[in-house]
Each structure stands twice: as structure tokens, then as C-alpha cells.
Amino acid sequence: MSDIPKDRQYTDTHEWLRELDDGSIELGITDHAQESLGDLVFVELPEVGSEVASGEECVVVESTKAASDVFSPLDGEVAAVNEALEDQPELVNQSPWEEGWLLRIRPANGMPEDLMDADAYAAQLESEG
Amino acid sequence: MERKTPLHDAHEAAGGRMVGFAGWHMPLTYGSELAEHRAVREDAGMFDVSHMAIVDFEGARAKDFLRKLYANDIARLSTPGAAQYGVMLNPEGGIKDDLISYFRGPERYRTVVNAGTRDADIAWMRKIAADFDVSVNERNDLAMIAVQGPKARERAAAVLPEALKGGALELKPFTASERGDWLVARTGYTGEDGWEIMLPADRAAAFWDNLVEVGIQPAGLAARDSLRLEAGLNLYGNDMDETTHPWESNLGWTVALDPTERDFIGRQAIEKARDASDKKRLVGLVLKDRGVIRHGQTVNTSAGEGIVTSGGFAPTLDRSIALARVPEAAASDPEATVSMRKRELPVAIVKPPFVRRGKIRVNLD
């Protein structure tokens, strides 16, 4: 298990969120998530400018094993997507915390409140075994 | 309680991600299944296939027994080491298992069967063998390692026991060479050149380490599945089972209907199935778009619906491919669609294999 960055927050479904300087929120999946999924072969990203809603699917990641939905943890509008993933989905495996980010969302209501910090997320991973 | 192969500790030590498979605790990958796949296509990789059962048959009527048991005709083998692929049918013509058999002597044969079916297979073999007074001996004292890839034989030869080395390198495809409890066969399940090596279980871990030392990449079940799918090779339980017969499983070529007087199990049923009007065929699909075809998805053809029996991402093609069972009337169509999640995407219908000996064998345009 690699170190869990302290500069962001986490959902209990293994997504991470990081607030950027321009107020947008960057979303990705954790190292644990990419490891459980296996090698990614395809990432389906939303259109820039489209709306995302909390709890709804915003990205589909397909690994060699299965297709998995990534659910948006917040309401907002898609400000940017990681276009590099179109040709290099493996960036999510190789660099889940940085180069493998999925999308940036301009939040409708700021950061959601029910997120975990790095320590709480680490504790959840521990309890999941 | 899951069963463990003699190489179990070696897999865990190498960081294998272990999963349950057909009652066995096996490595899914050792890190990256895509890298393992490429190692086999371009260089050399190896798989622990000790979960498959090695079964020896011996008796004066062993040949008669196997000519009853198998849809392929074992009488076509007459030299020691000759190997044959085929299927074992139930009386209704459904496929009980697919297997490779070896001629070892006029009264001695060996067969390797799948892990998921091994117990049922052996019970069935014993039942039929009783009428022929043939012994059925499950060789749990042996392990099996498949080394596959363009460099696999050359590398593995360096660490084979001296007495086997020369004979092994001279083997033609689908033949084997034996020395003591070691057997090297030029066979595999990846579409690449290579060997399947049977050896004493207590020697397996040391030999595996030797193979690692000469640069052969350990590969897990995930790469094994993507390699066999690219090679257009069926997976028992997915692409065929007790409810499908050889004609609809792309395995008609393994059924020996001549001589007509050979009364193998399932013969009457599959002769009837061959003349039926509602026939199906197992075909290959190549997804034109991005996405991944998965097992169980519906194929929409000009002659009705079919079903994806195996689907996945093909690293060599950088596309998704599948095997699918479709109405015979649509099997020669150029295309169809597959219903995937919320979309219906166009696919080309092709004849497997998709990849063989490192080369793409289907048109990707």
C-alpha cells in the first residue's frame, strides 16, 4: 500500500477529491481502487460542460476484468477531463494520485461534507482488510 | 478449503494476487496482466497449470476404452509422444470436457483435463473404464508448468534436465518427449510456441525458480485468459459445456466420424445435431469502437440473437474481441451489433484465431 496523500479527501467508494486553486475540484480513484480493478484498458469520460449530480455515474472505467462506474460525490459542471486517458488509460494504474486524475468539476455547492481525510480513509482500508 | 498447487508459495512470494478458481487458490496476476500478456506474445512467459489433472490410463484394452470415451479417434496416434486434442461427450452429445491426450505405448495413454471438471471427469472415466479393465490413475504427484512465447523453448531448454534437453528441442508441434517422471510437450493455450512441462511435484518449485532466473516472466490467470481468447481457443464452462455440442463450439474438426462403426459416447446425438435445422455457430467478434465486450452480452444479428460466450480486451489488437454463439445463418455476415451496458455497438464477425504466433490474423478495418 503506497502512502495516502494528505492534501485531499476521500469517499467510502475509493474516490479522491482535491480542491484546486481555481476552485474546481479534481476527482480520481485511489491506489487501492486501481489495484482492485486491475489494468485499465478504457476510460469513458463525460463531455466538458455537462452536468454531474451527486451519487450519479460520471465516469466508466473498464479494466481487463470488468466495467465499473465512478460516481460523482458532488453536484456541479464538468470543467475539464483528463484527455490523456483516451490513449493511455494505464496512467490511472501508474499514477492514480497525479497523472491519472479523471475530471475536474466546478462545484454547485462547494466541497461535500461527508468525506474522509487521509487518516480516516486509511482506517477504512484497514478495516476492509 | 481451496486446493493449492506445489507452486503456491512461489506465487505468494512473487507477489501474486491470489484468487479462487475452480476450487484452487491461483495467481490472477503478479502485478500487471497486460505486461504478462505482452511477455508471452513477444518474449517468454510461464503459467502454473498444476490445477489441471494429469490422468494415466493403462491396460490391454486402453485404446478401445479411449475410442469409446472420446469423440476424436485415439487410434490415429501410434508413436510414443504423439498428442491429440479432442472432446469427451455425454450421451446427449454435450461436451463434458476438452482435453489433450498422449500416446505413451500401445497400452498406455495420458490425458490432461480441466481443473473445474477434473473430479467429475475422473469419476466418469472410471465408470466407463470398468468395462474395459483399464486403470485410471490421477497423477497428483506431478505438477505442470506451461512456458509460452517465441523465446520460451530456447530459455527453458537451458534449465531442463540434461537427458531431456536434446529431445525436447527437436519436438514437432503436438508431440512430447518423456524421461522418468518428466514429460515435455510442444503444446499450449496461448497461440504461441512453447512447451507444457510435467514434472515431479517436489521438483516444481526449484524448477520454477530456474525458469525465472533464465528470464521467463510468471503470468497469471488473467493473461492466460486474454491470450487464449486472442488465439481463438475455447474456455470450458464459457464457450462450451454439457449443453453445447462440438458443431456449435467450433470443434467439429476434433470429431472423428470415420470409421463409421466406431461407437463413441455421444455419437448418435451429435450426428442428429449436425442435421438439425436450428443450428448455431461459435464465431469471433471484433469491436469497431472503444469499449469492452463482456461474457453474457447479447449479439444482434440478421438471423436473430446470439450470446457472447467470452469477451475481453485484446492487448495485441488494442481492441475488444469476443467469442459468440450466433445463429448459423448469420455466421458468415460481415457484421452484427452487441448490446453493451446502455449502448449497442457494431462488431465485425470474424473467424478465429485473432492472433497466432505474434501476428494479427483478422482484418481490423
Side-chain angles (χ1 to χ4, degrees):
Chain A
M1 178 63 53
S2 65
D3 291 336
I4 296 166
K6 295 196 183 293
D7 64 348
R8 61 195 87 188
Q9 293 183 282
Y10 299 87
T11 69
D12 56 6
T13 48
H14 309 285
E15 288 102 9
W16 58 258
L17 296 86
R18 171 164 65 175
E19 192 161 5
L20 302 178
D21 290 344
D22 65 0
S24 68
I25 291 171
E26 193 171 69
L27 181 73
I29 64 170
T30 67
D31 188 48
H32 171 84
Q34 70 78 18
E35 200 176 302
S36 321
L37 286 167
D39 287 343
L40 293 196
V41 295
F42 177 53
V43 180
E44 189 183 328
L45 295 161
E47 300 273 328
V48 172
S50 62
E51 300 285 322
V52 293
S54 177
E56 289 185 9
E57 170 210 315
C58 61
V59 176
V60 181
V61 290
E62 296 230 24
S63 73
T64 57
K65 270 188 287 186
S68 310
D69 295 319
V70 177
F71 297 99
S72 176
L74 70 165
D75 297 331
E77 182 190 322
V78 177
V81 297
N82 187 352
E83 285 168 6
L85 300 181
E86 183 150 337
D87 291 329
Q88 295 175 278
E90 65 272 19
L91 288 176
V92 178
N93 295 111
Q94 291 162 0
S95 177
W97 306 121
E98 298 297 337
E99 288 174 68
W101 64 277
L102 298 174
L103 73 167
R104 293 175 186 146
I105 298 169
R106 199 163 294 119
N109 312 304
M111 210 50 161
E113 282 173 8
D114 51 347
L115 298 174
M116 288 178 276
D117 64 12
D119 290 341
Y121 178 64
Q124 179 191 314
L125 287 182
E126 192 106 334
S127 71
E128 286 179 3
Chain B
M1 181 68 189
E2 280 174 345
R3 289 192 252 188
K4 294 174 180 174
T5 77
L7 292 165
H8 182 267
D9 292 350
H11 301 320
E12 293 209 318
R17 187 175 309 156
M18 308 300 286
V19 296
F21 176 79
W24 293 75
H25 200 225
M26 299 297 290
L28 184 65
T29 78
Y30 300 83
S32 168
E33 57 272 27
L34 293 177
E36 292 162 20
H37 181 110
R38 286 189 199 104
V40 171
R41 283 277 175 259
E42 295 163 12
D43 192 59
M46 63 176 167
F47 307 86
D48 175 12
V49 285
S50 305
H51 56 318
M52 299 178 79
I54 301 168
V55 188
D56 285 349
F57 307 109
E58 216 168 314
R61 297 185 65 207
K63 181 164 81 177
D64 297 337
F65 160 62
L66 294 177
R67 295 188 82 204
K68 177 81 182 177
L69 192 65
Y70 296 157
N72 210 339
D73 190 356
I74 205 83
R76 292 175 179 178
L77 305 182
S78 57
T79 54
Q84 182 183 75
Y85 175 77
V87 294
M88 177 165 77
L89 302 176
N90 61 29
E92 294 73 44
I95 300 173
K96 284 187 80 71
D97 208 356
D98 67 326
L99 36 86
I100 293 182
S101 299
Y102 301 90
F103 179 97
R104 305 173 71 207
E107 299 180 359
R108 297 171 63 233
Y109 293 85
R110 170 172 290 178
T111 289
V112 178
V113 303
N114 285 301
T117 43
R118 60 185 286 166
D119 295 340
D121 284 357
I122 291 166
W124 176 250
M125 289 165 167
R126 291 213 160 104
K127 187 174 164 212
I128 309 300
D131 293 340
F132 292 84
D133 198 23
V134 168
S135 68
V136 177
N137 184 15
E138 186 180 359
R139 296 297 303 270
N140 291 325
D141 57 320
L142 300 182
M144 181 154 59
I145 298 169
V147 296
Q148 302 278 294
K151 300 274 176 65
R153 293 188 306 134
E154 170 195 326
R155 300 244 178 94
V159 293
L160 272 184
E162 264 325 302
L164 263 168
K165 201 171 288 183
L169 281 169
E170 283 165 20
L171 288 173
K172 296 198 162 45
F174 255 75
T175 62
S177 176
E178 280 191 78
R179 191 61 67 102
D181 271 336
W182 289 67
L183 183 149
V184 179
R186 195 166 170 194
T187 52
Y189 190 49
T190 62
E192 296 303 319
D193 202 351
W195 288 330
E196 291 177 301
I197 302 168
M198 304 176 207
L199 72 166
D202 59 10
R203 300 284 301 279
F207 185 61
W208 179 270
D209 290 344
N210 291 339
L211 293 169
V212 170
E213 282 158 21
V214 293
I216 302 184
Q217 165 72 48
L221 294 173
R224 185 166 163 79
D225 192 52
S226 55
L227 286 157
R228 71 88 195 169
L229 182 57
E230 283 188 345
L233 299 170
N234 291 2
L235 172 62
Y236 190 81
N238 275 36
D239 306 305
M240 56 189 166
D241 58 30
E242 294 233 25
T243 70
T244 59
H245 53 69
W247 317 122
E248 57 191 9
S249 307
N250 217 5
L251 293 178
W253 65 276
T254 70
V255 177
L257 291 176
D258 290 322
T260 50
E261 62 272 20
R262 186 174 67 98
D263 181 29
F264 61 86
I265 295 168
R267 176 170 192 134
Q268 287 182 357
I270 61 166
E271 283 186 338
K272 218 173 275 174
R274 195 178 49 157
D275 301 329
S277 58
D278 58 342
K279 281 183 285 209
K280 299 206 164 78
R281 285 288 179 267
L282 197 65
V283 296
L285 306 178
V286 178
L287 185 64
K288 300 182 173 205
D289 223 323
R290 284 152 51 87
V292 184
I293 310 171
R294 304 287 180 183
H295 171 81
Q297 289 173 338
T298 301
V299 186
N300 312 290
T301 78
S302 64
E305 285 188 354
I307 188 155
V308 173
T309 55
S310 287
F313 180 72
T316 310
L317 281 68
D318 199 23
R319 295 277 185 95
S320 179
I321 59 172
L323 293 174
R325 187 165 282 113
V326 301
E328 184 181 42
S332 318
D333 287 357
E335 30 178 85
T337 65
V338 174
S339 304
M340 303 168 52
R341 289 163 66 87
K342 289 162 226 157
R343 301 175 298 171
E344 189 174 326
L345 295 181
V347 291
I349 299 179
V350 301
K351 189 173 158 39
F354 304 90
V355 180
R356 195 171 147 72
R357 298 275 159 109
K359 298 273 187 307
I360 294 173
R361 297 279 296 268
V362 292
N363 193 344
L364 290 182
D365 297 332

